[in-house]
Amino acid sequence: MHSILKTSLAAVVAASFTTSFAFADGHQLSGDLKITSDMSNPAPRAVMEGLVEGFNALHPEMNIELTIVDREAWKTQIRNALGANPPDVINWYAANRMGPYVSAGLFEDISDMYANGDLPGLDAVKGALTIDGKQYGVPYTYYQWGMYYREDIFKELGLTEPATFEEEMANCEKIVASGRACYAIGTKFLWTAGGWFDYLNMRTNGFDFHMQLARGEVEWTDPRVRETFANWRKLIDMGGYVADHQSYSWQEALNFMIDGEAASYLMGNFAVAAMREGGLTDDQIDFYQFPKIADVPQGEDAPTDTFHIPSGATNKDNARAFLQYVTSADVQTKINSGDALGQLPVNSASSVDADEFLEQGFEMLTNNAKGGVAQFFDRDFSAEMASVGMEGLQEFMVVPDNLDDILERLEEARLRIYK
């Protein structure tokens, strides 16, 4: 065992993991297992080290070598790492972000593990690990996106959580009439506009269409895409968004919601901590699922972090056992708890910390994301298409009359990038 725990959290996590999981046949494994992880921030690092320590305690004859690399650096290092002498397990991301490595034959097909029952409880997110009907990894954590709103402002204006887009717009009209913006947003770094497009497109045309667009299979000038932008423009034209949002980061724009100048924010659950730090109490904040537009199954943005086995790995049996371990219900509960990752377990049999927003997110993603789980615009679209696309989305929010020119540019980019 070459990895040395450096934090008390890792030790606690490891101890709890040891007693929470055992293989069905009770056998112990031996030999080597090499893991490269990008869980480099303090809390994730402690979780990763705890996972290795706990798994090693179950299989003391196994020699586990854990290498932790910087999360941002890993994005450029991964392809080289998957070449000659790759590790047995690595961290990465789901959906189209794993696509290039699947296409290059660098990720192991583990479809048999899903088919034979080795990975129970992952049905809600199985699709995010599936390409051409085969699975190439396992998820270990994710978090929901949705509409976070000022519950006290809604009560003041007599508003209720909208279930349909018509109700959303009716709420927005009353919010604007009160002198507030409906939505805080900061598009200075572009990606937040991608979240709005994701939801409007999934609600207008469905999850499958959205993913077809992400894969370059649909023209940006398609009438169905134009319908998505038409729905978006309804909110823009009624003055729904804070002014000059292109000047703000998402954190800076959050002040509009904290100060009561905007009523809601379409954002990931990581924003809740910032809202609380900004002085809002849980009595002032609530959450609802992005409302229905067309009669299509609800798709949700839920960025998912994953483990994969490189196709050139040496110790694939041990690697498969580790993947089975990290996705088990008890382990998923512990690594996603509030004192660990503070996110959502992907196993439907896991439990969630007693946090209002984690509980709502888990319920939504487990039981009401029938369309599928998307990974977010800049993960689902190819990197180059995402960059060009998000520039266009921000421009549309600022100058919606430019839509025709924007869609023509995006279509030219699609033809060039996807060929």
Side-chain angles (χ1 to χ4, degrees):
M1 173 70 188
H2 299 301
S3 177
I4 301 174
L5 295 183
K6 299 179 177 64
T7 69
S8 59
L9 172 59
V12 171
V13 169
S16 63
F17 290 170
T18 303
T19 59
S20 67
F21 179 87
F23 291 101
D25 58 7
H27 75 282
Q28 290 190 350
L29 302 172
S30 60
D32 296 329
L33 179 64
K34 295 183 178 181
I35 302 172
T36 298
S37 171
D38 68 347
M39 295 168 69
S40 56
N41 292 329
R45 183 186 183 108
V47 167
M48 187 68 235
E49 291 176 334
L51 279 170
V52 169
E53 194 73 9
F55 186 62
N56 209 184
L58 291 171
H59 306 286
E61 298 302 314
M62 187 181 292
N63 180 50
I64 305 178
E65 180 179 340
L66 172 63
T67 301
I68 295 180
V69 298
D70 178 77
R71 191 173 182 88
E72 290 303 311
W74 182 236
K75 294 176 182 178
T76 58
Q77 295 173 2
I78 180 173
R79 184 170 286 274
N80 288 337
L82 292 171
N85 301 314
D88 302 306
V89 175
I90 63 152
N91 284 125
W92 193 237
Y93 307 107
N96 286 354
R97 285 293 292 273
M98 72 176 185
Y101 307 107
V102 171
S103 298
L106 296 173
F107 281 175
E108 182 82 355
D109 176 359
I110 60 165
S111 303
D112 58 309
M113 294 186 71
Y114 284 88
N116 65 19
D118 285 344
L119 301 170
L122 304 186
D123 289 348
V125 289
K126 179 181 175 182
L129 280 301
T130 301
I131 293 181
D132 294 333
K134 298 178 180 179
Q135 291 77 49
Y136 292 91
V138 299
Y140 66 90
T141 187
Y142 67 163
Y143 61 88
Q144 83 272 16
W145 270 65
M147 200 70 79
Y148 294 84
Y149 71 97
R150 284 287 300 269
E151 187 175 9
D152 52 343
I153 292 176
F154 270 46
K155 288 179 179 178
E156 173 194 332
L157 299 177
L159 307 180
T160 57
E161 292 183 0
T164 67
F165 196 55
E166 289 76 14
E167 293 172 359
E168 179 77 33
M169 290 189 294
N171 279 358
C172 190
E173 287 178 358
K174 293 179 180 178
I175 293 166
V176 171
S178 76
R180 303 176 175 96
C182 306
Y183 314 110
I185 186 172
T187 61
K188 182 177 181 179
F189 298 111
L190 304 180
W191 59 268
T192 49
W196 273 96
F197 180 81
D198 284 351
Y199 274 99
L200 287 162
N201 197 39
M202 285 192 288
R203 294 295 186 266
T204 302
N205 296 304
F207 174 84
D208 290 341
F209 177 87
H210 184 68
M211 298 313 297
Q212 289 169 0
L213 183 65
R215 293 192 297 267
E217 299 168 3
V218 176
E219 296 178 359
W220 278 92
T221 51
D222 187 292
R224 293 168 292 182
V225 178
R226 289 183 178 276
E227 187 178 359
T228 293
F229 281 97
N231 285 327
W232 199 350
R233 181 154 189 173
K234 293 174 184 177
L235 301 177
I236 295 171
D237 286 350
M238 69 171 60
Y241 297 94
V242 295
D244 300 320
H245 51 79
Q246 69 273 18
S247 302
Y248 305 111
S249 67
W250 79 265
Q251 296 98 327
E252 292 168 336
L254 188 62
N255 290 322
F256 290 105
M257 186 171 169
I258 291 172
D259 294 340
E261 298 175 44
S264 54
Y265 210 146
L266 179 64
M267 188 51 66
N269 193 63
F270 53 82
V272 171
M275 293 178 195
R276 289 166 172 161
E277 290 167 4
L280 295 179
T281 68
D282 285 5
D283 290 337
Q284 294 175 288
I285 317 168
D286 210 340
F287 171 87
Y288 62 86
Q289 187 172 21
F290 197 96
K292 181 177 180 178
I293 298 178
D295 187 19
V296 294
Q298 304 275 70
E300 296 297 324
D301 269 343
T304 306
D305 292 343
T306 52
F307 285 107
H308 304 266
I309 301 173
S311 56
T314 303
N315 307 292
K316 292 182 180 179
D317 287 343
N318 288 347
R320 284 168 170 254
F322 183 77
L323 265 54
Q324 188 180 0
Y325 169 75
V326 298
T327 56
S328 62
D330 287 350
V331 171
Q332 283 281 298
T333 295
K334 291 178 173 63
I335 67 173
N336 286 288
S337 64
D339 59 357
L341 294 178
Q343 296 189 161
L344 294 174
V346 294
N347 192 312
S348 61
S350 299
S351 58
V352 181
D353 259 12
D355 175 275
E356 174 185 357
F357 304 102
L358 289 176
E359 289 172 342
Q360 289 186 73
F362 189 65
E363 168 66 21
M364 179 183 75
L365 293 175
T366 301
N367 299 315
N368 204 21
K370 304 301 184 183
V373 174
Q375 296 304 300
F376 200 76
F377 192 93
D378 61 359
R379 292 190 183 190
D380 286 323
F381 288 74
S382 73
E384 189 176 358
M385 190 70 239
S387 178
V388 175
M390 290 187 296
E391 289 177 2
L393 299 179
Q394 186 215 49
E395 180 182 345
F396 172 75
M397 292 191 70
V398 178
V399 191
D401 285 342
N402 288 359
L403 179 62
D404 287 344
D405 289 341
I406 292 168
L407 293 181
E408 289 293 341
R409 291 201 307 270
L410 296 189
E411 178 55 18
E412 290 174 4
R414 182 189 74 89
L415 292 172
R416 171 176 52 82
I417 293 166
Y418 294 99
K419 296 181 180 179

